[in-house]
Amino acid sequence: MKLELVPIPVTDVDRAKAFYADQLGFHVDVDVRPADGVRVVQLTPPGSACSIGIGTGVPAYEGTPGSVRGLHLVVTDIEAARAELIGRGVDVGEIQDVGGGVTYAGFEDPDGNSLTLQLMPWRTGDAF
């Protein structure tokens, strides 16, 4: 089993797409309108096998915007990743040591869905 798509409820698909693609650097895999009132957008973080989905007219996207909490974006250099996102206009919090060698830096999308940069220093090479 592989987790490949996490639906994210948003208020404005275009605004969310711009945030994830332009500010976070996610790749836009799909942006289709297969029927009236239906739009499906799938975006994938660089290097990830799991994507997020945003859209309209599909039950998976009907949740409350801002209700997704703590999606983790695992990075190999949290300071560089944080600086890059700040440089793209993302309001990323301070880096916090959460114990066991793990560090976090959190932020939110325009609807308040929360994401976290996570560094686990032992996850390198094939273990990343």
Side-chain angles (χ1 to χ4, degrees), residues 5 9 24 28 36 55 57 62 84-85 91 94 104-105 120 126-127:
L5 182 72
L24 298 188
V28 180
D36 286 342
E62 293 176 0
E84 180 179 341
L85 293 182
D91 184 16
E94 296 296 323
Y104 283 175
M120 294 181 290
D126 291 340

Side-chain angles (χ1 to χ4, degrees), residues 26-52:
F26 286 25
H27 181 263
V28 180
D29 301 312
V30 174
D31 186 349
V32 296
R33 291 180 170 96
D36 286 342
V38 176
R39 183 172 179 193
V40 175
V41 180
Q42 183 172 330
L43 304 108
T44 305
S48 181
C50 186
S51 304
I52 63 163

Side-chain angles (χ1 to χ4, degrees), residues 7 9 38 55-64:
V38 176
T56 57
V58 176
Y61 304 130
E62 293 176 0
T64 303

Side-chain angles (χ1 to χ4, degrees), residues 42-120:
Q42 183 172 330
L43 304 108
T44 305
S48 181
C50 186
S51 304
I52 63 163
I54 57 176
T56 57
V58 176
Y61 304 130
E62 293 176 0
T64 303
S67 62
V68 172
R69 315 306 305 150
L71 289 181
H72 285 54
L73 301 172
V74 179
V75 297
T76 57
D77 184 336
I78 196 166
E79 291 176 6
R82 180 177 179 269
E84 180 179 341
L85 293 182
I86 289 171
R88 293 179 178 197
V90 180
D91 184 16
V92 183
E94 296 296 323
I95 296 171
Q96 300 175 0
D97 183 339
V98 296
V102 178
T103 53
Y104 283 175
F107 60 97
E108 295 181 344
D109 75 4
D111 285 294
N113 296 300
S114 73
L115 298 96
T116 302
L117 297 177
Q118 179 186 44
L119 172 68
M120 294 181 290

